[in-house]
């Protein structure tokens, strides 16, 4: 918890979260779904406290589960993900990639991928993502932009981004970012959607936090 608080106060390449949050009307905090072992119960309390102390009312904060095309996370499962207090006291909603009407079309990438992103995220005055950095078999590494695409993307977007045209490229592989079209496409889409602040962790084999 101390490491998270320190990272919020002294982030890399960004203003401290409290300064970013000052004067904002609403916030969307994006978390990974249950398929990723992100320590949300450690990350979320300092983030939420910082937002509220900066003047964003609790009822104007939404925690959005980046399910991509996975099933929603509900009930006891959600409590295990974020802790019972946050599950009880905060508005937590699941992304639904199959409901196109709940997405906003942000345009099309240079490679022709339509960017449809969850409207709750797009409309938020302050956009925050959280997650885990580890090698990824096609995107090079997870974390960062992957919370937005595919995490908050529609079926229409994911269908293009997950197509053989990108996945069969020789650079779409573990640990490779340079020249990797999968990484480049979801980075482009994440930039179209915007993101004000990211909190990522690296974990060891026992899922303990190594760094924030």
């Amino acid at each position: 918890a101390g490491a998270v608080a320190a990272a919020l106060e002294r982030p890399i390449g960004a203003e401290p979260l409290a300064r970013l949050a000052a004067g904002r009307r609403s916030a969307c905090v994006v978390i990974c779904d249950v398929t990723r072992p992100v320590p949300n119960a450690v990350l979320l309390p300092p983030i939420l406290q910082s937002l509220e102390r900066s003047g964003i009312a609790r009822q104007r904060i939404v925690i959005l589960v980046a399910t991509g095309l996975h099933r929603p996370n509900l009930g006891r499962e959600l409590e295990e993900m974020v802790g019972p207090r946050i599950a009880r006291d905060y508005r937590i909603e699941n992304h639904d990639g199959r409901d196109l009407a709940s997405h906003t079309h942000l345009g099309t990438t240079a490679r022709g991928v339509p960017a449809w992103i969850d409207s709750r995220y797009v409309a938020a005055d302050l956009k925050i993502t959280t997650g885990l950095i580890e090698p990824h078999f096609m995107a090079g590494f997870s974390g960062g932009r992957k919370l937005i695409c595919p995490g908050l993307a529609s079926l229409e977007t994911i269908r293009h981004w997950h197509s053989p045209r990108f996945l069969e490229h020789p650079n779409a592989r573990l640990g490779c970012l340079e020249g990797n079209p999968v990484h480049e496409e979801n980075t482009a889409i994440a930039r179209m959607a915007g993101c004000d602040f990211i909190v990522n962790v690296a974990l060891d084999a026992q899922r303990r936090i190594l760094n924030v």
Side-chain angles (χ1 to χ4, degrees):
V4 176
L8 300 185
E9 293 172 4
R10 295 183 297 278
I12 301 166
E15 294 287 336
L17 180 58
R19 194 176 304 166
L20 281 176
R24 307 283 183 132
R25 300 180 305 276
S26 64
C28 180
V29 182
V30 185
I31 64 173
C32 292
D33 72 358
V34 74
T35 65
R36 302 292 187 270
V38 180
N40 297 301
V42 177
L43 297 182
L44 287 175
I47 293 172
L48 297 170
Q49 288 167 16
S50 182
L51 297 182
E52 293 187 58
R53 286 174 184 162
S54 298
I56 301 178
R58 184 173 298 187
Q59 60 267 28
R60 300 285 293 167
I61 299 171
V62 59
I63 299 171
L64 190 55
V65 184
T67 57
L69 294 178
H70 299 164
R71 61 172 175 76
N73 304 150
L74 304 166
R76 181 159 299 188
E77 184 175 68
L78 194 59
E79 286 187 16
E80 292 174 357
M81 287 170 54
V82 303
R85 186 187 68 81
I86 289 177
R88 180 189 68 236
D89 294 344
Y90 286 85
R91 176 181 155 209
I92 306 177
E93 298 179 0
N94 284 271
H95 166 71
D96 182 359
R98 293 171 176 81
D99 178 19
L100 187 61
S102 66
H103 296 72
T104 299
H105 184 235
L106 302 174
T108 303
T109 70
R111 290 186 173 99
V113 178
W116 290 89
I117 299 298
D118 195 301
S119 296
R120 290 165 290 189
Y121 179 80
V122 174
D125 206 19
L126 182 67
K127 301 173 176 67
I128 300 170
T129 64
T130 65
L132 164 69
I133 298 176
E134 62 182 356
H136 190 275
F137 72 100
M138 64 181 182
F141 289 89
S142 64
R145 76 277 187 246
K146 278 191 88 267
L147 270 289
I148 300 171
C149 179
L152 300 180
S154 74
L155 172 61
E156 181 69 12
T157 297
I158 296 172
R159 186 168 61 84
H160 283 79
W161 180 71
H162 257 293
S163 67
R165 178 162 69 108
F166 298 130
L167 300 190
E168 293 177 0
H169 192 281
N171 288 342
R173 55 187 167 85
L174 201 73
C176 177
L177 294 179
E178 189 172 352
N180 181 340
V182 176
H183 161 67
E184 291 171 352
E185 282 302 289
N186 68 350
T187 299
I189 292 169
R191 289 187 184 279
M192 293 166 75
C195 186
D196 298 294
F197 202 83
I198 299 175
V199 184
N200 280 329
V201 295
L203 304 179
D204 68 9
Q206 285 74 47
R207 300 183 177 181
R208 295 173 299 193
I209 297 175
L210 292 171
N211 204 358
V212 183

